[in-house]
Amino acid sequence: MIPSDANLHPKFKRRAFLHTAALAPSASVLGMAGLAVSAEGQQDHPLTLSKPRVDLAHLPTPLEELPRLTKRLGGPRLLVKRDDQTGLALGGNKVRKLEFLVAQANAEGADTLVTSGSIQSNHCRQTAAAAARIGLRCVLLLGGKNPGGTSEGNLLLDRLLGAEVRFGEQTLEDVAKTLRAAGRRPYVIPIGGSNAVGATGYVAAMEELSDQLKQRSDNVDWIVVPTGSGGTQSGLAVGARSLGFAGKILGIGVGEPADETKQRLTPIANTTARHLNLSERFKPDDFEVNSDFLGGGYGVMGDLERKTIRMVAETEGLLLDPVYTGRAFGGLVELTKKGFFRKEETVLFWHTGGMPELFVSEYAGSLL
Ligand SMILES: Cc1ncc(COP(=O)(O)O)c(C=O)c1O
């Protein structure tokens, strides 16, 4: 389906036209050099152009060197892809997924976005922000009990952004049913936005990265990224395979053993590839996942995260979060110490955001 221009920000309109003219390219034969360059010098993103998308994110996000950390760790050259700077209400990886999810919600005539997550879910905060930005309502179903007292971090922002916050045992489908019965038109987004539509945002992100690397005549050997619900790594994997990216993608698990994470990634990647009419198919062993850094479990900040957050902040002025990026960067540091990466390699850390969690007293109280 070619998106109607009405749904599209001007930055996508011309590209949609180009795509219409070219029809869906066979991505597997595009290769990294196959990305078309438009007359304005902008590069086109053929893998994802056929899908409706709304403009929510500040893109492309910066690709930066980390020279002081590279020197301090004495390992491979380090780069960072700044998806903490996607722009919408403190940014993060979910904004990329929501560009496609919200477009789908609009296409279905929805008036309310419904999703769920933990009390400090970054995904929920970004969904609330996307709803506010587009003029939809938002209902968030948060796990656990209402903490009461002063709202902190993402929960504070959810409420500030006008979302209706619910707690308890209901399922997302229960919430959607009640809304429908009340005459509303809900669009249900799964946890983390990790389905084929959402993961398309990370196929597009991989296209964006390949443009940036090509423009700089640069290359990366590894992408290191935190992995939770899996849409980010799955989307990157689909994009990487379709574009012929030669580097490896290493997901650092934040909550589950590596085997379970690979099982989770596989169907997301396969449905995403199908959604985009790509021929690539994945098996669990096609993914690299390391879950050696789970420490006390999901959301429990330990010494690894604490030390890493402080070191990266002091050394590069770069903020990480206690749950995802602090753990994943901690894994990168530990793997560097063990010689997992070769010194002549380049490792790109994909920063996925999450900083509002730094200000939650549970974490802030033991960071310093
Ligand atoms: C800051 C941050 N990084 C990484 C992730 C993991 O992304 P995914 O759920 O797509 O695996 C999340 C998910 O909530 C997140 O909030």
Side-chain angles (χ1 to χ4, degrees), residues 325-344:
T325 54
R327 180 162 292 177
F329 209 105
L332 189 162
V333 171
E334 290 304 303
L335 291 170
T336 300
K337 285 186 195 157
K338 286 186 190 151
F340 178 84
F341 307 111
R342 294 202 313 275
K343 196 167 162 52
E344 61 277 16

Side-chain angles (χ1 to χ4, degrees), residues 93-94 97 122 194 226-232 324 352-354:
N93 60 342
K94 301 308 186 295
K97 301 182 183 183
N122 298 299
S194 286
T227 291
S229 63
T232 303
Y324 296 93
T352 48

